[in-house]
Amino acid sequence: MTALTLIDRLSGVKRTGPGRWLARCPAHDDSRASLSVRELDDRRVLFHCFAGCDAETILAAVGLGWQDILPPRAVDHHRPRERAPFPAVDVLRAIAHESLIVCVAAAMLQEGQTLPEPERQRMGVAYARILAGVQLAGIRP
Ligand SMILES: [Zn+2]
């Protein structure tokens, strides 16, 4: 469900910006557009009547309940919350650590040594982790 579920049932709707509307409040005799409706990026719907009507009265006036306007994720309490993005400093630390491993391997190769199999495999892991970290940071190599 989106804000449109609510917007469709309101009158005097004016779009005031991306994901923002003003409409007549269905819960009181509203001659002006007192109801502000906003849809957030995660599809949560916020609404507020500047005349002071409470949210449940507004929803009830248009025949809706909270379950009708909450995004499915918010209703389903059993689903795990989305993981927060990694802090940039943690990504940088991980990249720095993996870079060190690649540097050691590079130094060995430069000195004409052959990389033993465990080191060669570990370098592959470091390479994959560095690329993952770079992608996580939104940088394209
Ligand atoms: Zn109202």
Side-chain angles (χ1 to χ4, degrees):
M1 295 291 173
T2 65
L4 294 178
T5 308
L6 177 60
I7 292 296
D8 281 349
R9 293 162 190 247
L10 299 173
S11 63
V13 177
K14 274 180 279 184
R15 190 170 176 269
T16 57
R20 292 166 185 267
W21 300 266
L22 282 174
R24 284 199 205 101
C25 174
H28 78 273
D29 187 16
D30 194 7
S31 54
R32 313 154 20 120
S34 304
L35 187 69
S36 163
V37 180
R38 189 160 172 222
E39 186 176 65
L40 305 179
D41 289 343
D42 64 5
R43 295 172 70 198
R44 273 185 299 151
V45 181
L46 303 180
F47 54 96
H48 176 74
C49 171
F50 290 100
C53 299
D54 68 78
E56 292 195 26
T57 309
I58 293 166
L59 284 180
V62 291
L64 293 175
W66 287 113
Q67 72 282 358
D68 297 312
I69 64 156
L70 291 176
R73 192 176 65 218
V75 174
D76 185 355
H77 299 291
H78 300 291
R79 284 179 64 171
R81 295 181 135 250
E82 256 175 52
R83 290 172 72 178
F86 297 98
V89 66
D90 289 353
V91 175
L92 193 59
R93 277 195 191 116
I95 289 175
H97 177 75
E98 299 301 327
S99 297
L100 201 60
I101 290 165
V102 174
C103 284
V104 169
M108 288 173 74
L109 290 174
Q110 196 192 15
E111 287 168 9
Q113 298 182 35
T114 308
L115 278 185
E117 185 58 23
E119 277 72 15
R120 205 184 64 78
Q121 282 186 5
R122 183 60 185 90
M123 195 173 67
V125 170
Y127 164 79
R129 286 179 179 171
I130 290 169
L131 276 188
V134 166
Q135 283 171 357
L136 206 58
I139 303 160
R140 301 207 176 275

